[in-house]
Amino acid sequence: MRTVYFDMGELNRFGALGLLSSEAKVLPAGTVIHTEQAKVRKELPQYQEMAKRAGVFFFFEDEDVPNAPFFTVPYMELVARDRDGGWYGRAESIGDGVYCVTPDGAVFLVSEGMERFSGRLLAGEEVRELWEPALELTVYPSKTAAAQVVELVPVEELLPKGWKEREK
């Protein structure tokens, strides 16, 4: 069975939650920024502590949120950046781990889960020596570059025929 990918960023436009096919394995790709609500930052001072101790800054809806300068396969939801330009996030289709994409595009598994990762940051641990290369996650400089290597299908092509007409 062939594997095709769709840009998870396109799903918001259609309101779909998932896509299944009997003809291909359909997997999400792309990179999306996840922001926390501003009130969460006030309720949980741990976010400021992680920024102060480890230089890792989580994204909040009331702040300027940067655009990710890369496209990942499979899909990655970015949650934070560090003072050195690294991007942190989850790729749920490959597990519960937290990954870091470095400024040069290398990808590492940082922690086995978000809770453990946050705990290490709060403890002020230097965790870089624990990082393992993440071969299951590939970073491309753009969606166009990814489409040259993997089969990236527009979401519209994966939706059932006549889906627009049925909504009316």
Side-chain angles (χ1 to χ4, degrees), residues 111-148:
S111 184
E112 56 279 356
M114 188 58 75
E115 188 174 318
R116 179 73 178 124
F117 176 61
S118 298
R120 287 178 175 155
L121 295 176
L122 286 169
E125 292 180 27
E126 176 51 58
V127 294
R128 289 182 189 261
E129 64 270 6
L130 303 174
W131 290 9
E132 298 174 23
L135 304 176
E136 65 276 16
L137 190 61
T138 306
V139 175
Y140 296 94
S142 67
K143 181 177 177 177
T144 303
Q148 294 173 358

Side-chain angles (χ1 to χ4, degrees), residues 46-58 83 121:
Q46 292 90 335
Y47 282 110
Q48 286 86 3
E49 283 298 313
M50 287 185 275
K52 188 187 308 179
R53 292 182 185 181
V56 175
F57 307 90
F58 286 78
R83 62 177 149 236
L121 295 176

Side-chain angles (χ1 to χ4, degrees), residues 69-72 85-87 100-108 134 137-141:
F70 50 82
F71 189 90
T72 57
W87 298 79
C100 180
V101 178
T102 64
D104 64 353
V107 187
F108 295 93
L137 190 61
T138 306
V139 175
Y140 296 94

Side-chain angles (χ1 to χ4, degrees), residues 14-113:
F14 297 101
L17 296 175
L19 300 166
L20 302 171
S21 170
S22 60
E23 299 174 17
K25 185 176 181 181
V26 181
L27 298 173
T31 312
V32 175
I33 303 284
H34 171 81
T35 57
E36 290 288 345
Q37 295 177 345
K39 70 179 184 176
V40 171
R41 182 180 50 233
K42 293 175 185 168
E43 295 169 356
L44 296 171
Q46 292 90 335
Y47 282 110
Q48 286 86 3
E49 283 298 313
M50 287 185 275
K52 188 187 308 179
R53 292 182 185 181
V56 175
F57 307 90
F58 286 78
F59 303 122
F60 291 92
E61 65 185 3
D62 64 337
E63 299 174 340
D64 286 335
V65 178
N67 291 319
F70 50 82
F71 189 90
T72 57
V73 176
Y75 164 69
M76 186 173 183
E77 182 180 57
L78 300 173
V79 296
R81 287 200 66 190
D82 69 21
R83 62 177 149 236
D84 299 322
W87 298 79
Y88 295 86
R90 300 175 298 236
E92 291 178 0
S93 65
I94 55 177
D96 295 329
V98 176
Y99 296 87
C100 180
V101 178
T102 64
D104 64 353
V107 187
F108 295 93
L109 175 63
V110 176
S111 184
E112 56 279 356

